[in-house]
């Protein structure tokens, strides 16, 4: 075994100084020609297809039948958090001061999304949607309600829409949690929800 001897111990300040001295040169962002994107696609159908590809469930429904549809999808859930007035199924109330660790037994979370992205089936969820940041990830199953008219073409359009937002927490969610890091074996729910259903109204 070969050992590496280093008598000079680097403290925090020395490390930060070294990082600053060795930063790479800043590169300009590429100039992307948005005209090269296909603009005449069906945003809704493309969103639905791409969400299914990444393992999500999606369905167009009338806003009056939201709770009925959720009951069909998740009839056996009891510990439910709903952060939207569009659903009355919540059995547990949370606020911004809720301790995240108390949510470890949440069966189902019901949230609204600000927008959807057609090219990858992602939805944009903000702090005001989730109230507690960890909610979309700690819940066993996740239902997201999205207005169909809030689906945009691609991530460039999505970033344009959220550029002027209040700089708080936000996340793009695409499908249920999944990873195949180990031996290329797909594991669903490793670090997030086991299932994601998007209800389009």
């Amino acid at each position: 075994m070969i050992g590496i001897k280093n008598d000079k111990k680097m403290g925090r300040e020395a490390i930060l100084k070294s990082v600053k001295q060795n930063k790479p040169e800043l590169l300009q962002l590429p100039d992307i020609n948005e005209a090269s994107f296909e603009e005449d696609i069906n945003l809704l159908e493309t969103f639905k297809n791409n969400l299914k590809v990444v393992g999500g469930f999606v369905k167009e429904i009338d806003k009056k039948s939201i709770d009925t549809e959720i009951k069909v999808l998740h009839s056996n859930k009891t510990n439910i958090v709903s952060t939207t007035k569009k659903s009355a199924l919540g059995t547990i109330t949370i606020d911004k001061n809720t301790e995240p660790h108390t949510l470890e037994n949440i069966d189902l979370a019901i949230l609204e999304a600000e927008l959807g992205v057609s090219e990858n089936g992602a939805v944009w969820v903000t702090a005001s949607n989730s109230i507690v940041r960890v909610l979309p990830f700690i819940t066993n199953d996740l239902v997201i309600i999205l207005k169909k008219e809030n689906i945009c073409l691609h991530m460039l359009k999505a970033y344009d829409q959220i550029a002027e937002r209040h700089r708080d927490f936000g996340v793009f969610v695409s499908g249920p949690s999944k990873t195949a890091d180990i031996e290329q074996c797909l594991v669903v729910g490793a670090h997030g929800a086991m299932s994601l259903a998007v209800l389009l109204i």
Side-chain angles (χ1 to χ4, degrees), residues 60-153:
E60 294 180 65
I61 64 170
D62 185 272
K63 62 181 180 181
K64 294 180 181 179
S65 63
I66 289 175
D67 282 353
T68 300
E69 187 64 38
I70 294 174
K71 286 179 181 178
V72 171
L73 292 171
H74 300 289
S75 59
N76 62 338
K77 305 301 180 182
T78 55
N79 297 329
I80 304 171
V81 171
S82 174
T83 64
T84 171
K85 293 180 180 179
K86 290 182 171 64
S87 174
L89 295 180
T91 60
I92 297 172
T93 302
I94 64 172
D95 58 39
K96 63 181 181 180
N97 296 315
T98 298
E99 167 57 44
H101 292 93
T102 64
L103 303 177
E104 62 179 334
N105 294 317
I106 297 299
D107 295 321
L108 177 66
I110 305 167
L111 320 173
E112 284 189 72
E114 303 281 323
L115 61 89
V117 186
S118 183
E119 73 169 351
N120 56 16
V123 292
W124 173 250
V125 177
T126 66
S128 60
N129 301 131
S130 58
I131 301 186
V132 179
R133 293 183 181 186
V134 75
L135 183 60
F137 314 107
I138 201 169
T139 182
N140 197 65
D141 297 281
L142 179 61
V143 171
I144 291 181
I145 300 165
L146 175 67
K147 293 180 180 178
K148 288 185 280 190
E149 62 264 30
N150 291 344
I151 297 175
C152 64
L153 177 60

Side-chain angles (χ1 to χ4, degrees), residues 1 13 22 38 62 65 67 91 99 124 129 134 160 165 186-187 191 194:
M1 179 175 172
E13 294 303 322
N22 293 281
E38 188 178 355
D62 185 272
S65 63
D67 282 353
T91 60
E99 167 57 44
W124 173 250
N129 301 131
V134 75
D160 284 343
R165 72 190 187 279
L186 180 63
V187 178
H191 36 55
M194 292 282 292

